[in-house]
């Protein structure tokens, strides 16, 4: 264990609490960004394909990726997921205007 001085506080760091990192890349994407995870362990994010188009996705605890694309959108991005599985995100329409959206579980 190590002690670190932070002004008037001490911070105790335990190397036994090492973190484990897992790489997640959407299959077929050239760039993947993760944005949020809920208590159930569902991760949301977005990925870019070779054409430069962006899509949203979910990754659940069973290891399944699901692509999410707003119909008619040029790009779709996801930014948050709550305990009920509702997802907040954005999309860009063909005129280049960004819009926010809320997708409830099961929709």
């Amino acid at each position: 264990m190590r002690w670190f001085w932070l002004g008037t506080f001490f911070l105790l760091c335990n190397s036994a609490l090492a973190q484990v990192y897992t790489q997640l890349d959407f299959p077929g994407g050239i760039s993947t960004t993760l944005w949020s995870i809920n208590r159930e362990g569902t991760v949301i994010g977005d990925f870019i394909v070779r054409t430069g188009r962006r899509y949203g996705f979910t990754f659940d605890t069973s290891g399944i990726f699901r692509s999410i694309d707003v119909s008619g959108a040029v790009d779709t991005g996801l930014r948050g997921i709550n305990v009920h599985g509702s997802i907040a995100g954005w999309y860009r329409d063909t005129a280049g205007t960004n819009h926010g959206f809320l997708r409830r579980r099961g929709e």
Side-chain angles (χ1 to χ4, degrees):
M1 286 193 200
R2 293 183 179 163
W3 288 92
F4 294 94
W5 172 252
L6 298 175
T8 57
F9 299 97
F10 283 100
L11 176 65
L12 176 63
C13 294
N14 186 342
S15 60
L17 300 176
Q19 298 175 351
V20 176
Y21 295 90
T22 302
Q23 182 173 329
L24 289 179
D25 294 310
F26 194 92
I30 61 169
S31 177
T32 301
T33 304
L34 308 179
W35 289 102
S36 186
I37 184 170
N38 68 7
R39 288 190 319 207
E40 294 177 342
T42 301
V43 176
I44 59 103
D46 44 62
F47 66 100
I48 299 172
V49 296
R50 293 202 185 283
T51 62
R53 184 140 185 241
R54 180 182 310 267
Y55 297 88
F57 75 89
T58 63
F59 179 79
D60 63 29
T61 56
S62 61
I64 297 173
F65 283 98
R66 288 183 178 83
S67 177
I68 295 178
D69 185 32
V70 173
S71 180
V74 175
D75 288 309
T76 301
L78 308 182
R79 291 299 181 265
I81 183 168
N82 69 16
V83 69
H84 305 292
S86 294
I87 296 171
W90 64 273
Y91 70 95
R92 182 173 297 119
D93 64 23
T94 56
T97 303
N98 288 348
H99 306 274
F101 72 87
L102 175 63
R103 179 177 181 221
R104 290 181 175 81
R105 175 179 252 157
E107 293 181 353

